[in-house]
Amino acid sequence: MKIILATSNKGKVKEIQKSFDMFEVVPFDKIIEPFEIEENGSSFKENAIIKAKAVYKAIDDKDAIVLSDDSGISVPVLGNEPGIKSARYAGDNAIAKDNLLKLINELKKRDIKKTPAFYTAAIALATKDGIFSVHGWMYGEVIDEARGENGFGYDPMFIPEGFDKTLGELDESVKKELSHRSKALKLIKRVLW
Ligand code: ITT
């Protein structure tokens, strides 16, 4: 079965391909000319559905199976920011490193060394049978510094519950087992089988 990914985020592509190694998983920009999708929903779920539908429509093959991921990190002490704005936290043209540094800076400004945080992933599937969506979460804490090179995005400042190292430092197998994305992918597999 071929699954087309409606994402341009290389970190997501890598993780989804590893979790879905029983499928042929292809990023949409390998099939069609990549295009900008306006993520104007008010929740992770709405944005995931917007992305899956936009790519399904652009692929123009009714038998296509398109999977999208909208995700982010929420920090309760910051009113659950950056949340759905995680990819644009430091501005519209921000890269992952800018967003990470901005979140570290927001903690430093408040003299917070460590505080609870959680990741959310909404996964949506667009198929000829309709749209399906699921969620997964990962809980832990964020710290006021970046440690380690593994993962992507905010991972170097996120310590998952039950560990004392960041996802940047921990082996990638830990994230594969525990992550918001892995949990959501496990649920969406039930729709595919
Ligand atoms: P697409 O919309 O093309 O999928 P994106 O990076 O813009 O790519 P989102 O709008 O879903 O994706 O933004 C998610 C941001 O949240 C992402 O850029 C990361 O900064 C962060 N994020 C999500 N999941 C993460 C994870 O597993 N580890 C670290 N950071 C993550």
Side-chain angles (χ1 to χ4, degrees):
M1 189 188 308
K2 178 155 106 183
I3 297 179
I4 299 162
L5 295 188
T7 178
S8 321
N9 180 316
K10 292 197 167 52
K12 290 183 187 178
V13 171
K14 191 173 153 200
E15 289 185 9
I16 296 169
Q17 280 174 328
K18 283 199 172 153
S19 286
F20 269 21
D21 55 4
M22 65 298 284
F23 302 122
E24 186 193 350
V25 177
V26 187
F28 80 104
D29 58 9
K30 295 266 179 302
I31 302 178
I32 54 172
E33 193 59 37
F35 61 98
E36 199 63 41
I37 303 171
E38 200 191 342
E39 295 177 33
N40 53 9
S42 54
S43 64
F44 292 109
K45 176 179 166 176
E46 281 180 19
N47 282 336
I49 290 174
I50 288 169
K51 291 188 261 192
K53 277 183 165 173
V55 171
Y56 184 80
K57 191 166 168 226
I59 295 279
D60 198 23
D61 167 5
K62 79 170 174 33
D63 291 321
I65 298 174
V66 176
L67 185 145
S68 68
D69 166 312
D70 197 70
S71 44
I73 193 164
S74 302
V75 183
V77 81
L78 301 177
N80 285 336
E81 292 267 302
I84 62 167
K85 293 183 301 205
S86 292
R88 304 176 298 276
Y89 193 36
D92 280 347
N93 298 316
I95 58 165
K97 185 96 188 276
D98 303 330
N99 293 324
L100 170 83
L101 293 177
K102 163 134 172 99
L103 187 51
I104 288 177
N105 204 31
E106 291 299 322
L107 299 184
K108 283 193 187 294
K109 272 202 271 185
R110 292 166 177 80
D111 244 343
I112 297 169
K113 295 226 129 326
K114 202 188 234 191
T115 186
F118 58 95
Y119 277 116
T120 305
I123 300 275
L125 206 58
T127 73
K128 64 174 180 310
D129 300 319
I131 306 285
F132 303 87
S133 64
V134 293
H135 286 88
W137 287 272
M138 172 166 51
Y139 293 88
E141 290 177 305
V142 281
I143 54 171
D144 69 344
E145 59 175 326
R147 294 196 213 140
E149 304 295 327
N150 286 340
F152 68 96
Y154 298 92
D155 288 343
M157 67 182 296
F158 185 87
I159 299 179
E161 219 165 61
F163 292 84
D164 57 8
K165 289 189 169 137
T166 69
L167 286 175
E169 297 170 303
L170 289 164
D171 191 83
E172 287 180 1
S173 59
V174 174
K175 187 173 181 194
K176 189 174 176 206
E177 188 60 33
L178 293 179
S179 86
H180 48 312
R181 184 161 299 105
S182 299
K183 287 175 190 155
L185 288 170
K186 228 176 250 173
L187 291 173
I188 207 80
K189 263 185 205 165
R190 297 184 185 194
V191 178
L192 291 165
W193 278 330

